[in-house]
Amino acid sequence: MAELSAVLVLRDRTSLETSQEDGHDLDEALRAARMRVVHALPDEVVKHLTGPDPPDLLLLPSSLGADRVGRYGMLLRRGNGDLLVPPAPEGDPSGRHQARHTAVMVYLDGELADLEACVKHGYHYLVPPYRGSLIRTQLMCDVERHRLARVAEEAALAVSLRQYERELRIAQEIQEGFLPSDLPCAPGWEIDVRFRPARAVAGDFYDAFPLLQGRRLSIVVADVCDKGVGAALFMALIRTLLRHTAEHAGQWNLFDGLPPLEALARDVRQESPALVPGAAPLLQAMTGTNRYMTSNHQGYFATVFFGVLDPESGCLLYANGGHNPPLLRRAGGRLERLQVTGPAVGLHPDSEFRLAEVRLDPGDVLLAYTDGVTDSRDPEGEFYGEDRLSALVRGLAGTSLGLLERVEADVRAHLRDGEQYDDITMLALRRLAGR
């Protein structure tokens, strides 16, 4: 059983002065029970409980009322800056001091109705006549019950934490299974990615897969709103919808109201006929996924950059749904931005996604990224920013992998010891020189 060292007795100023002048039978009983008695006014309680030698027991007058007694109890249990369990002092590396927790009891000092209300709230109590031979056993039993209850709470918390960690590992493994382990590529092209979640699971995702029996290459970089497990689940859903719809465009009738292929062909400039076959999969994937999300999962949305590349001509047909404009660095160093062509996917059921096109010539490289790159903040709170990213990319030449490594290193240098607040995803697509 626990040993008691000190009892902190709360008094109002009048009763404190009376007890100091005339003594008090409760104090006498506590001292007869070989306990050190400390008196405190209400505004002095925190100082005593956070001091180097906190008491084992806080003894409160029933006249405070159940609500005020309950507030003291809640204050002792809170896990924030008001936590009334002091840290272990220097010279106590064992941490034994930190393991001491103050229990709460009430004593009768007025109306029985007040005491009854405290008892109904679960607080143990003392009533006169106070006897030192009995009071020590009673107090020690209550402190021991308090200690065992804390041990049980901590054990339950540890079990819950282990279960949560296990489920988080499972979620991480599932998410990793949705991201491509190998990126397909066509002769004369390079494609590389960087993926750094801010937490165990991420709301960002990337994808690359062949279309039209390998005659086209699709690339996707997207960012689901929110973070954590919820965002990761919707990442898996949106990624699956985009890919499956694009791969089966024209073969199924799940989404109504999409424009026919002839209309899509008219939207693509006549001087780029090679882009027409990729228009239907691209637009159907964006529109169909948007309508499914707004019909079934309102409140979640994703910014999406979705491109379909014709490796032979270097033409890229794309839709940018509210995403950061990817950067296209020309072989000579000139920088272009692939601007937004529609809203984020999942915002409005009737959203329209326009198609745009660009051509990558030999030596050109395209960098698609999520806002975790530009929104990275150093310890002073300064953002990495689009200007710094653009200046870095404009001055880089070489492989797609080299580009990603340089950008990643520069973002890390900007963060220094600061925390990564958001997921970071980058995809680089480069057309080799002479192709």
Side-chain angles (χ1 to χ4, degrees), residues 129-130 134 188 221 249 273 376 411:
Y130 304 115
L134 300 176
V221 175
S376 294
V411 171

Side-chain angles (χ1 to χ4, degrees), residues 196-199 227 372 375-383 411-412 414-424:
R196 284 180 54 196
R199 303 178 184 177
K227 298 177 179 63
D375 289 351
S376 294
R377 287 178 287 180
D378 64 13
E380 288 74 39
E382 183 179 352
F383 290 100
V411 171
R412 285 181 174 175
H414 177 77
L415 282 172
R416 303 203 304 274
D417 296 328
E419 181 182 356
Q420 180 184 332
Y421 292 99
D422 201 358
D423 307 321
I424 292 177

Side-chain angles (χ1 to χ4, degrees), residues 195 296 404:
F195 179 66
N296 298 279
L404 295 181

Side-chain angles (χ1 to χ4, degrees), residues 331-347:
R334 181 168 54 89
L335 207 63
E336 300 176 13
R337 287 180 171 85
L338 277 55
Q339 298 295 337
V340 171
T341 65
V345 174
L347 280 179

Side-chain angles (χ1 to χ4, degrees), residues 217-234:
L217 176 65
S218 296
I219 57 171
V220 180
V221 175
D223 183 0
V224 177
C225 70
D226 206 357
K227 298 177 179 63
V229 175
L233 291 173
F234 277 90

Side-chain angles (χ1 to χ4, degrees), residues 286-299:
M286 295 289 287
T287 305
T289 300
N290 179 74
R291 290 187 178 177
Y292 179 87
M293 294 299 297
T294 54
S295 298
N296 298 279
H297 301 287
Q298 294 183 0

